[in-house]
Amino acid sequence: MAETRTATLYRMVLPDHVCPFGVRAKQLLEGAGFEVDDRILRSRDDVDAFKAEHGVATTPQVFIAGERIGGSDDLERYLAG
């Protein structure tokens, strides 16, 4: 039986804004056969705290096997490699 590949995705879904890059990252992961642990950042405070904790400037952020891949563009390059 094949091992299930999982990825953790942190993305912004605010009451007045759903980040299109987060949606794209989720679609890329699912299309590549990953099971996605979808971690929704629901407020600006959540987003800011996540960025400060991980030392990143943007969301979404994707982690695979404990390694930070980056945002949706980084993920696309990772999957193409």
Side-chain angles (χ1 to χ4, degrees):
M1 183 165 133
E3 182 179 333
T4 301
R5 299 188 304 166
T6 60
T8 304
L9 169 63
Y10 292 88
R11 64 188 182 108
M12 178 173 42
V13 178
L14 304 179
D16 61 342
H17 176 71
V18 175
C19 175
F21 298 104
V23 172
R24 178 172 171 249
K26 185 174 182 193
Q27 291 170 338
L28 287 169
L29 287 165
E30 290 174 342
F34 282 86
E35 182 178 311
V36 180
D37 178 6
D38 196 8
R39 307 276 181 98
I40 304 296
L41 304 170
R42 298 188 186 279
S43 71
R44 179 56 61 189
D45 287 344
D46 288 348
V47 172
D48 292 343
F50 172 83
K51 292 192 298 188
E53 179 182 343
H54 293 278
V56 296
T58 62
T59 60
Q61 291 293 317
V62 176
F63 294 80
I64 298 174
E67 175 187 350
R68 186 176 70 82
I69 304 304
S72 62
D73 289 343
D74 299 314
L75 174 62
E76 191 168 16
R77 286 188 289 275
Y78 174 87
L79 294 173

